Amino acid sequence: MRKTLRRLLPLLAILVVLAVGMSATAFAAGDPTEESGTKMIECSDCGGEGLCMTCYGHDEACEDCGGTFVCPSCEGTGYVESPSHFYNTFWALLPPIIAIALALITKEVYSSLFVGILVGGLLYSNFSFEGTVLHVFSDGIVGSVTDSYNMGILIFLVILGAMVCLMNRAGGSAAFGRWAQKNIKSRVGAQLATVILGCLIFIDDYFNCLTVGSVMRPVTDKHNISRAKLAYLIDSTAAPICIIAPISSWAAAVAGFAEDGQGLSLFIKAIPFNFYAILTILMMVGLSILRIDYGPMAKHEKNAVENGDLFSGKNPYATMEAEESNENGRVIDLVLPIIALVVCCVIGMIYSGGFFEGAGFIEAFSNSDASVGLMLGSAFALVFTFIYYLIRRTMKFGDMMSCIPDGFKAMVPAILILTFAWSLKSMTDSLGAKYFVRDFVYNNAASFQVVLPAIVFIIGCLLAFATGTSWGTFGMLIPIVQSVFPMDNPLSVVCISACMAGAVCGDHCSPISDTTIMASAGAQCDHVSHVSTQLPYAITVAVVSFISYIIAGFVPNAVFALPIAIVLMIGALIVMRKIWGKKELA
């Protein structure tokens, strides 16, 4: 009973904080969806254009519009009132809160996500049976899977799974494991090698999670590092690295969300104030060198060291463990396909941004589509890998082709969780959760300017945790901050950085985050085990970051604020080491 209550306390705290904003008011605007407490949504019949879609304004005898040429559903406004009574209210956040609570309590992620989706469908349809079924399956699950961006990510996952399977069977992973066994002598070295590799692969968080996982699993397994610890290291070098890398899909996303075409320069200015990302890197290095583990992670690490149990529970990827590999494989059989994957994905990213149509490299990266770039890049890398292994005569063509369905099977858990997570997000979108949060921020922004960076950080954390999307979170908050502060105000950069840091922190903690799901898949770790073991570490960094943002609010100077944040983080690590004691795990 006490354990259940302990799990529920963070969720109850979220409910209390979010409930404060239930009656929030905001600024009115010309667009009805920008009005405080809006119930308006884009008209589905005309797509928001207000034009009759039957005659397109060309037939005066049109029966649908009666010759008025305007959409009969919205009467030419482009907007209609939402059919849901719960639209743009606190209840819009109920589906993800229920899903997260059930996942942490039951440790069953699939059923928990589906229950959250179902609750979203019930609220949207006002508890109508037919409306719920149609919204859950047609608008939610089917709509998420058929979305072009999501489909590109799923194809990228399948191709990456096939490449991992190819590299394993070609003997590349085993050869790298043998090399690592000779050259990486300790658990500390294996963990630091994982951190370094994760920092080097900063192009995209999805790509980071799966690539680092496939490369480092054999190394960490040799040194009896638990899969939960590996998943934490992977997750902590994914989004936190991408959000401070100017050349990454995340930088491109932020550049797109910012106004007045100053996105990339704003992103670069915000890097020194991105305390959560910077301190997360420091946290990983400190945990590894000082050999500190606490919370549920300590149990996983103890089981791994003393009993050789890397999972401390169920392994959803158990069927993929026993896989034959070529004993004549070489390290180059792993390294060369990965290099090809990195190069091809970078080319794919800048291609999607118009680099080959005359755009500059930075501009192309800022305008890139990560889904298209990763999909095309991974496809070309897969073809290269096929050709390379044929030339090397490492595998027969038939054996290579069999890796495609096997790679798909390896990614099924991640694909299934991603599909449900995307569907849950579509439920919150259809209930107007973003407008509810926007009103809350607007209502409370101007009154607390000095502590606003810390407030924005907390709001970003809660929103990303509840929705599982960091991009959506800073996509909502950055324009709001820009409207509150002029860009010549030093606090504007601090607050925008707090938006990004909070979004990454919430995304890092959330069990329905796609990056968290990818990290579990990359480490081949049980998803709920990854979430529960990572949470205490992420919360530690979040608390230090929150204090640092309070300091930065009073002194918005990175030269002063960042060193203080680093000192606070080192102090927190020393305190943890004294409390938990030095673990003799080397």
Side-chain angles (χ1 to χ4, degrees):
M1 183 67 181
R2 287 181 179 178
K3 289 183 178 179
T4 304
L5 286 173
R6 254 186 256 123
R7 292 193 195 106
L8 284 173
L9 281 176
L11 300 164
L12 291 172
I14 293 172
L15 281 169
V16 170
V17 172
L18 293 176
V20 172
M22 287 184 68
S23 60
T25 59
F27 308 124
D31 183 342
T33 63
E34 296 300 315
E35 294 177 1
S36 172
T38 181
K39 297 290 182 183
M40 305 306 291
I41 59 174
E42 187 180 272
C43 177
S44 59
D45 291 338
C46 66
E49 294 183 11
L51 186 68
C52 176
M53 293 290 106
T54 303
C55 68
Y56 296 97
H58 296 299
D59 185 5
E60 294 183 357
C62 176
E63 294 183 359
D64 288 341
C65 67
T68 61
F69 305 144
V70 298
C71 173
S73 299
C74 64
E75 298 180 348
T77 63
Y79 300 95
V80 294
E81 188 171 336
S82 170
S84 173
H85 300 322
F86 304 96
Y87 189 84
N88 191 9
T89 65
F90 169 75
W91 302 104
L93 293 172
L94 189 62
I97 289 172
I98 288 176
I100 292 167
L102 288 176
L104 293 176
I105 293 169
T106 67
K107 300 190 182 299
E108 285 292 340
V109 68
Y110 304 115
S111 58
S112 301
L113 285 171
F114 186 76
V115 169
I117 294 167
L118 189 62
V119 170
L122 286 166
L123 293 176
Y124 180 81
S125 66
N126 303 312
F127 299 94
S128 161
F129 175 78
E130 181 183 4
T132 299
V133 172
L134 290 175
H135 190 56
V136 166
F137 289 97
S138 296
D139 302 332
I141 297 174
V142 174
S144 298
V145 172
T146 55
D147 178 82
S148 60
Y149 185 93
N150 293 348
M151 182 54 69
I153 295 299
L154 294 181
I155 293 172
F156 168 66
L157 280 178
V158 172
I159 293 175
L160 211 53
M163 285 194 67
V164 170
C165 187
L166 277 167
M167 291 185 288
N168 288 342
R169 291 190 185 176
S173 298
F176 182 79
R178 292 191 294 269
W179 175 87
Q181 192 174 19
K182 292 179 182 178
N183 293 276
I184 299 176
K185 304 294 185 182
S186 66
R187 287 171 51 86
V188 173
Q191 291 177 65
L192 291 178
T194 305
V195 173
I196 292 169
L197 181 61
C199 291
L200 291 175
I201 303 178
F202 52 79
I203 300 298
D204 184 77
D205 53 331
Y206 290 175
F207 178 46
N208 179 301
C209 289
L210 298 173
T211 304
V212 175
S214 64
V215 172
M216 295 308 299
R217 272 199 312 271
V219 181
T220 54
D221 287 356
K222 292 285 184 183
H223 292 283
N224 284 343
I225 295 171
S226 67
R227 290 293 178 86
K229 187 64 170 291
L230 175 60
Y232 166 70
L233 295 176
I234 293 171
D235 207 348
S236 298
T237 54
I241 293 296
C242 292
I243 200 64
I244 56 174
I247 302 176
S248 69
S249 58
W250 287 57
V254 172
F257 290 130
E259 297 174 353
D260 302 327
Q262 55 186 343
L264 193 59
S265 63
L266 192 60
F267 180 90
I268 294 171
K269 289 178 184 177
I271 290 174
F273 291 104
N274 202 320
F275 299 132
Y276 183 81
I278 295 170
L279 297 182
T280 294
I281 300 168
L282 183 61
M283 176 82 167
M284 286 187 293
V285 174
L287 290 173
S288 302
I289 293 175
L290 299 175
R291 297 178 229 169
I292 306 169
D293 284 300
Y294 56 93
M297 187 72 79
K299 178 183 175 183
H300 279 252
E301 285 289 87
K302 183 178 179 181
N303 287 340
V305 173
E306 296 181 357
N307 308 319
D309 180 8
L310 302 178
F311 299 94
S312 293
K314 63 180 180 179
N315 174 17
Y317 298 87
T319 56
M320 304 304 299
E321 290 297 305
E323 193 172 84
E324 296 181 4
S325 63
N326 188 339
E327 295 181 358
N328 298 319
R330 297 185 297 180
V331 174
I332 192 68
D333 295 331
L334 175 73
V335 173
L336 199 59
I338 288 176
I339 292 175
L341 187 61
V342 172
V343 172
C344 290
C345 284
V346 171
I347 294 172
M349 294 280 283
I350 61 176
Y351 165 79
S352 67
F355 179 75
F356 298 100
E357 296 173 1
F361 184 85
I362 300 298
E363 182 187 354
F365 231 108
S366 297
N367 297 326
S368 65
D369 185 322
S371 175
V372 173
L374 294 175
M375 177 181 65
L376 296 178
S378 60
F380 278 97
L382 180 63
V383 172
F384 170 86
T385 305
F386 277 147
I387 295 172
Y388 170 71
Y389 286 156
L390 283 174
I391 293 173
R392 273 263 294 135
R393 296 184 179 178
T394 306
M395 299 175 68
K396 295 179 181 178
F397 182 75
D399 293 336
M400 286 193 291
M401 294 306 295
S402 68
C403 289
I404 295 177
D406 288 343
F408 185 96
K409 291 176 189 174
M411 289 297 159
V412 165
I415 290 171
L416 188 56
I417 296 174
L418 264 182
T419 300
F420 280 165
W422 285 332
S423 302
L424 185 61
K425 180 183 179 300
S426 71
M427 294 295 111
T428 59
D429 287 345
S430 67
L431 289 169
K434 64 180 181 181
Y435 298 120
F436 170 76
V437 175
R438 179 204 63 195
D439 290 355
F440 173 78
V441 176
Y442 265 139
N443 190 52
N444 295 279
S447 304
F448 310 97
Q449 287 203 10
V450 176
V451 294
L452 188 59
I455 293 174
V456 169
F457 175 73
I458 290 295
I459 292 171
C461 289
L462 297 177
L463 181 58
F465 184 82
T467 61
T469 169
S470 47
W471 284 24
T473 299
F474 54 65
M476 268 185 269
L477 296 182
I478 287 176
I480 293 173
V481 170
Q482 286 189 300
S483 68
V484 172
F485 289 110
M487 286 298 98
D488 57 356
N489 188 325
L491 274 179
S492 64
V493 175
V494 181
C495 286
I496 286 172
S497 188
C499 291
M500 295 187 284
V504 170
C505 178
D507 179 269
H508 201 189
C509 299
S510 177
I512 60 174
S513 158
D514 46 7
T515 311
T516 310
I517 294 163
M518 294 289 185
S520 302
Q524 292 192 355
C525 168
D526 176 65
H527 182 59
V528 176
S529 295
H530 168 45
V531 174
S532 60
T533 53
Q534 175 172 265
L535 203 55
Y537 292 176
I539 290 174
T540 301
V541 181
V543 170
V544 177
S545 299
F546 177 75
I547 296 170
S548 302
Y549 279 117
I550 292 176
I551 295 170
F554 285 95
V555 187
N557 188 321
V559 176
F560 178 81
L562 182 57
I564 291 179
I566 292 172
V567 169
L568 288 173
M569 189 70 251
I570 294 172
L573 285 169
I574 292 172
V575 170
M576 288 297 177
R577 189 169 185 258
K578 286 185 176 180
I579 293 174
W580 293 89
K582 184 176 178 181
K583 304 297 182 180
E584 299 295 338
L585 299 178

